[in-house]
Amino acid sequence: METPGRTVTTQDALDFTVENVEKALHQLYYDPNIENKNLAQKWLMQAQVSPQAWQFCWVLLSPDKVPEIQYFGASALHTKISRYWSDIPTDQYESLKTQLFSQIACFSSGSKMVLTRLCVALASLALNTMPEAWPDAVAEMVRVFQEEGGGVDARARCLALLELLTVLPEEFQTSRLPQYRRTQVRGALGREWVVVYPLLQQLLQRTDTPGAVKARVHRCLSSWVLLDVSLSDSEGLVHDCFSALPDPELFDTAVEAIVNAISQPDSQRYVNTLLKLVPPVLALQEQLREAVQNGDMETCHGICRIAVTLGENHSRTLLEQVDHWQSFLALVNMIMFCTGIPGHYPVNETTSSLTLTFWYTLQDEIMSFESDKQAVYLQVYRPVFFQLVDVLLHKAQFPSDHEYASWSSDEKEQFRIYRVDISDTLMYVYEMLGAELLSNLYDKLGRLLTNPEEPTSWQHTEALLYGFQSIAETIDVNYSDVIPGLIGLIPRISINNVQLADTVMFTIGALAEWLADHPVMLSSVLPLVLQALGNPDLSVSSVSTLKKICRECKYDLPPYANNIVAVSQEVLIKQIHKTSQCMWLMQALGFLLSALPVEEILRNLHSLITPYIQQLEKLADETPNPSNKLAIIHILGLLSNLFTTLDISKQDNDSADGSAPPVKSSPPLPGPNPVVVVLQQVFALIQTVLSKWLTDSQVVEAVCAIFEKSVKTLLHNFAPMVSQLSEMLGQMYSTIPQASALDLTRQMVHIFASETDHFPPIKALFELVTSVTLSIFQQGPRDHPDIVDSFMQLQAQALKRKPDLFLSVSLDVKAVFHCGVLSLKFPEAQTVKSTCLFFTELLSHCSDVPPLARVVQDDGKLLVQAVLEGIGGGASRSLMDQYAEVLFSLNKHCCSLLVIWLKESLQPQGFPSSRVTAAQKNHFSQQILRERVQKRRVKDLVKEFTLLCRGLHGTEYAADY
């Protein structure tokens, strides 16, 4: 093909000729310039949907064109038929069908990708015309392709017919037919199965049928069964597929067809058909064993898929056939073989993971039977599930150190996920086996650790512990009588491997709640955890375990507190752990210190924090640079995380569910709060740090995080800091406004705005940050969407907690309202959501806050216009629920005014969209005004109207909206 003399440009927009299409395609495939490629792609998409496509698509299919050009022609045809069917006159249906048949016949010996697109186009035509205009579509397709002629050999015609029959149900699945048409067409297609079935059966059973044709038959069957062809109606073909499994050329397609047929939701209705499928599945065991011996992973995988699909989808049906219990048990044992398939996942095998969901399903079905029936099944299947536990723990074992070292990081990650799946399966198995499972694991571990004559691998020990951990993490094991023995065994484990040490740590962590009820056992395991803290390879497991112990057992830890703090300080100073683990460690220490007397907390805080304060003082004197910035953020992060969990109020008022008490129910404790004492001591230093780093948003965020987390934890006990923090926040924000300062202000407003003692500083801070933000809006807020978002959230919170703030003469309520209207037009979805929340809060206070009532009365029309503009297409469709909330609030609180505003706003032609008529706008307005109770209804009305405004109503784009 010749290189075009120029690239396709927007000037060619209306010139969708064959020549220009070819130029654009050449540009798309061969031009090295990515911008030219993108331009060509955009132009071709316009060409494909243009009226001219009907002319150029047939020319592009000419035999002298290259496949890429022919493919575009076929795709254009499909697009026009599937998406613009209503444009085609009914008297042209027949000629279009004839042309498509002709083209498919031509390409049956040509390009496979072009043939497929042409078949999809004809399938789409069939779906749009059946059953009325084309009542026997499939029968005609079969007849046309079985006729001799056209110089096309029989094999090519047969493959083309099978391709057409395969894509027909697939096109139905992805088509955007209206619901009434879908039901109609599905029924018509279902009736055509009587034509398809004998054709497929004949091709499968004839000995001279080529392998490629049989493989296509399998794919065709797969496609039709997904159309809900019943298992009884496809039974003969499914058995033919079993016969094809020994043939390597047909194996994959036969497996897919069998699996799809068995998976059909209504298959369980055909009990006899299902029972007839069990023997051929069991007969695959010999082929499965051979595949395992030969290391043929693909065959193992395929046979396992068939067995698991039958078992997983129909376990209840097959369980209920008590006369056939032995054949189902044989199927269960076959799946057990697949679970325990030799080799390490995912390097030597990838089959065992397919079976795990089956075991959950089987357990769930057995446990759902009524008790007397359940007892019978448990008698048969409890031994099976104990065997399963052994198999799963064997599969969970790590390979040898040498072999594991040779695995890629991706293989190690897949193995980690596989072990998590095994862990989940063990948890489900516990539902059936109960306490006996823990005893079973304990006995095995005990024999392993106490028998000196039996050589043990660390892998075996680790797997058994992993079994304990899997259950203890999610199941309450407090009643179990084997946990004390397990805790006693743990110190006897010879830990000479990182993976084993990790599992020991995680097992101890999983037993933290049990340890809280049995604190006498802490002395057995705490030394192991503290020792592991010093090992960087055990960073995650040791720190998370210490955190769990400190959280669950804090009231029993005072005797160990000095030791825990000392070890923690040492590892922090040595910088053994990464940043995130250092933060967890500080949270652990916060839990630990919370249970100590105040004087001891202060003493420990002094020793713990002093080195960091000294380091921070040094850093504060240095000229700002990237390395000392990271150090400052790290230190501030450590303090934030410590103060997140250091909460002495829980000593006297520990809520039963461990949740934070509500704002109103936490009166200040007598005496100074240790966190407040420390914050007051370091306040001046933090101000010094800020003075040098005020332009750096990350440092400012880190500073704000200290106070925000302290406020959230301490609630009213933070009161002594309110005045000086409000002053500092005001200074910070006045100098360089940042979103994090607004977020902290919002927390302060939430907790302290309603308190008489603290209202003056909170009021002053609120008015100051509002005034500064209004000046940002005057200068142009588009560069600060984060500030606008946080500002709107702050205003909404103020309206919710203390509407009196808007009574102040110092607050320009009108300007805040106008900022909100402007914010509604921001492209950032989160900012618009926060702004809509602000307006719904504001409108609800019109009746009790006169300044708000005045501004709404004066400028409410601006708000209505902004909302309508967004609905009309100015905003993302994902925001329509939020706009609907604002309209609902307007109707609820300003109904008489909304009548006028809607009428005036919708009057101009072309607003909010040129696609809606005056009648449609009037209908929308009337519907909105009528609905003052059901918010859900208003949301539906807005969604419907926005589709009309965007020209999407009734199109495929509206189907999922």
Side-chain angles (χ1 to χ4, degrees), residues 6 12-24 43-44 47 50 52-53 55-57 59-60 72:
R6 64 181 176 82
D12 300 309
L14 297 174
D15 196 10
F16 297 124
T17 63
V18 172
E19 183 190 7
N20 281 339
V21 169
E22 291 195 32
K23 284 177 183 176
W43 187 89
L44 285 165
S50 69
Q52 295 94 315
Q55 282 73 51
F56 67 65
C57 60
V59 182
L60 296 178
F72 182 78

Side-chain angles (χ1 to χ4, degrees), residues 322-339:
V322 289
D323 293 341
H324 300 270
W325 70 272
Q326 286 172 311
S327 65
F328 183 60
L329 183 58
L331 178 66
V332 171
N333 285 324
M334 181 179 175
I335 296 172
M336 181 79 77
F337 177 81
C338 294
T339 305

Side-chain angles (χ1 to χ4, degrees), residues 187-207:
L189 279 172
R191 290 190 291 276
E192 298 281 12
W193 177 242
V194 295
V195 179
V196 178
Y197 182 93
L199 172 71
L200 301 187
Q201 190 168 49
Q202 181 189 12
L203 290 170
L204 283 181
Q205 292 182 353
R206 279 176 55 172
T207 54

